Amino acid sequence: MTGEPESVPRKRSAFESPAVLARREPTAPPTMRRPVATSLGAVLVMLRVLAGVIWLTALAVSWRQVIGEELGLDYPAGSAEDQAFTFVLVLILVVGSLGLLVVALFGFAVYRGSNVARLLVMTFTTFSITAAAIDYFAGGEEITVRTTLLTLSLDILVMLALSSRAARAYARRPRPKRAARRRRPAPVE
């Protein structure tokens, strides 16, 4: 098989020197097709948004129970305390919904090939994974299906998909300028 080009990428060793890692890989062509890792990463980001919607809905449904268990309060409906805690719930739901909207926009941008969006999504998921680990190890918070297992597993899968070589190459590929993309050849008569 000498003289034939390699069709399968060369396997990497478990450890590479910093000099090898710092060497810049050749850029991908502008016509590169969207890799599966990028598409899967965008889908996982949207599933993460869906998991956030489910979590916010569950919080809204069980709000009185959460307040009763966490703060030990039992207040009558319509009281001043009820109105204050309802305002807090609405505030949490609005801020959470805006955050999920931003994450959904980043997911769409990742699908389109934005490197900045890819890096921001990976940063967000890193913080989310780290917060879950700190809660688990320091605070004694359990990781269950009801609490953080779904979002944590989606965050890990997003990190794996978007940190792949193919997703990185696709996001870093050179793109033609917008004006050049809009120009279309004149119709042939």
Side-chain angles (χ1 to χ4, degrees):
M1 292 187 80
T2 57
E4 292 182 25
E6 290 184 17
S7 61
V8 178
R10 179 181 65 85
K11 289 192 175 202
R12 297 175 67 172
S13 62
F15 174 78
E16 292 178 321
S17 70
V20 171
L21 291 174
R23 192 175 40 193
R24 186 124 176 128
E25 293 181 13
T27 59
T31 58
M32 178 182 181
R33 294 179 56 102
R34 182 179 296 111
V36 173
T38 299
S39 298
L40 181 63
V43 167
L44 288 168
V45 169
M46 293 305 174
L47 287 175
R48 178 65 169 92
V49 170
L50 181 63
V53 169
I54 291 169
W55 187 87
L56 285 175
T57 303
L59 178 67
V61 168
S62 63
W63 180 248
R64 288 186 64 86
Q65 179 184 357
V66 169
I67 292 299
E69 288 177 3
E70 294 293 323
L71 301 178
L73 299 176
D74 188 25
Y75 50 87
S79 66
E81 292 89 2
D82 184 42
Q83 291 176 355
F85 285 122
T86 302
F87 176 75
V88 170
L89 172 63
V90 169
L91 188 64
I92 290 171
L93 293 176
V94 167
V95 170
S97 297
L98 289 175
L100 291 175
L101 178 64
V102 168
V103 172
L105 291 174
F106 281 150
F108 180 70
V110 163
Y111 183 77
R112 299 271 318 220
S114 170
N115 194 41
V116 171
R118 182 182 73 89
L119 293 174
L120 287 173
V121 166
M122 288 185 357
T123 302
F124 168 76
T125 56
T126 300
F127 287 137
S128 178
I129 292 167
T130 303
I134 289 171
D135 282 348
Y136 177 76
F137 289 115
E141 186 72 29
E142 291 193 28
I143 297 177
T144 64
V145 173
R146 227 183 93 190
T147 57
T148 57
L149 183 64
L150 178 63
T151 56
L152 182 62
S153 60
L154 285 172
D155 286 339
I156 292 169
L157 290 173
V158 166
M159 285 293 291
L160 289 172
L162 295 183
S163 64
S164 71
R165 284 183 173 191
R168 182 182 64 200
Y170 181 71
R172 290 180 174 179
R173 77 193 188 289
R175 292 182 198 91
K177 301 290 182 205
R178 282 186 184 222
R181 284 188 295 200
R182 289 186 188 157
R183 263 188 253 130
R184 295 179 187 221
V188 177
E189 294 180 18

